[in-house]
Amino acid sequence: MSEDLSLGDAAKALGVSADTLRRWDASGRLTTTRDARNRRRVARSEVTRLSSTPDRHRTGVGLSARNRFPGTVLSVEVDGVMAVVEIEAGPHRITSVITRDAVDELGLVAGMPATATVKSTSVMVEGGVRT
């Protein structure tokens, strides 16, 4: 029985509620067994099966943003207190509007390596479109 988990422990391992697991059991998405006291038990293999999602990439640096695009600065256009910086990162061109101070502090010039780091609460995804 050591390979089985209580419903609560399985829910915690999967990051869902026990009620969710009960619904999954009723719908056939999860297979459970019953112990001598008629409590649901979940095999570790079921938890592993249901939690098998691809690992997310790690940032690798002291920033929380995961979307990092290393590339080469294509251009730096400074106008007053603002600047437009374009970075070619693989097949992608990333344009950023930053302050002139940031350009000066980073020493940004065309041809140098740079990484565009993107953290946004609004990222739209469009399917079926190739450019």
Side-chain angles (χ1 to χ4, degrees):
M1 187 86 92
S2 65
E3 288 299 312
D4 289 342
L5 300 172
S6 69
L7 197 68
D9 288 341
K12 189 181 294 184
L14 291 168
V16 298
S17 70
D19 284 339
T20 296
L21 292 189
R22 287 185 194 95
R23 284 192 298 276
W24 288 359
D25 186 25
S27 71
R29 181 174 177 189
L30 171 71
T31 302
T32 63
T33 57
R34 298 282 182 152
D35 66 11
R37 295 168 72 178
N38 202 31
R39 295 175 299 192
R40 284 184 177 93
R41 303 294 296 179
V42 181
R44 270 189 206 284
S45 59
E46 280 291 274
V47 173
T48 300
R49 180 182 65 82
L50 290 169
S51 64
S52 60
T53 57
D55 286 339
R56 290 190 170 93
H57 61 282
R58 302 291 178 223
T59 63
V61 297
L63 295 174
S64 62
R66 298 188 190 285
N67 303 305
R68 299 174 49 79
F69 301 91
T72 304
V73 175
L74 290 178
S75 65
V76 179
E77 298 174 30
V78 178
D79 183 21
V81 296
M82 300 304 293
V84 176
V85 178
E86 284 191 324
I87 296 174
E88 184 176 52
H92 309 287
R93 182 175 288 197
I94 298 154
T95 304
S96 179
V97 176
I98 62 176
T99 65
R100 175 189 205 119
D101 287 345
V103 167
D104 293 342
E105 287 174 24
L106 295 170
L108 295 177
V109 295
M112 73 178 287
T115 299
T117 303
V118 179
K119 182 164 184 164
S120 176
T121 57
S122 178
V123 175
M124 285 146 271
V125 176
E126 182 176 1
V129 176
R130 295 244 185 215
T131 57

